[in-house]
Amino acid sequence: MFRHVVLLQWTEDATEEQRAEVARRLSGLPDAIPEVRSYRIGHDAGVNEDNYSFAVVADFDSPEDYVVYRDHPVHLAVVEECIAPILADRAAVQYVL
């Protein structure tokens, strides 16, 4: 199993509608990309200061399946259309389970 974890920090002027659209569009990726085995997303709970705004944890059978997801046009559209306009910072890691 291969895991991909992303933390996203939104700009201060990101609206609630924009943040909700990111979640809505990302939640549709498993239906569009069969290589996704498990997909969890969520907004920060606000318990600690200085956390990132949003998290994605996605599992794949292999690094090759992750690359299919990474480069998939539906995923790239979400990044370009929804995430990039409100993105202040991003951190990511991939690892073998």
Side-chain angles (χ1 to χ4, degrees), residues 64-82:
E64 294 79 14
D65 285 350
Y66 159 71
V67 170
V68 169
Y69 162 84
R70 183 194 68 193
D71 297 341
H72 197 282
V74 176
H75 173 249
L76 294 176
V78 174
V79 171
E80 181 181 330
E81 296 166 10
C82 298

Side-chain angles (χ1 to χ4, degrees), residues 26-27 29-30 36-41 56-59 69 75:
L26 286 175
S27 67
L29 292 181
V36 175
R37 292 294 163 247
S38 173
Y39 204 74
R40 302 282 187 257
I41 62 170
V56 176
V57 179
D59 292 334
Y69 162 84
H75 173 249

Side-chain angles (χ1 to χ4, degrees), residues 40-60:
R40 302 282 187 257
I41 62 170
H43 299 278
D44 180 59
V47 175
N48 296 322
E49 292 184 29
D50 298 325
N51 280 359
Y52 278 77
S53 307
F54 195 83
V56 176
V57 179
D59 292 334
F60 306 87

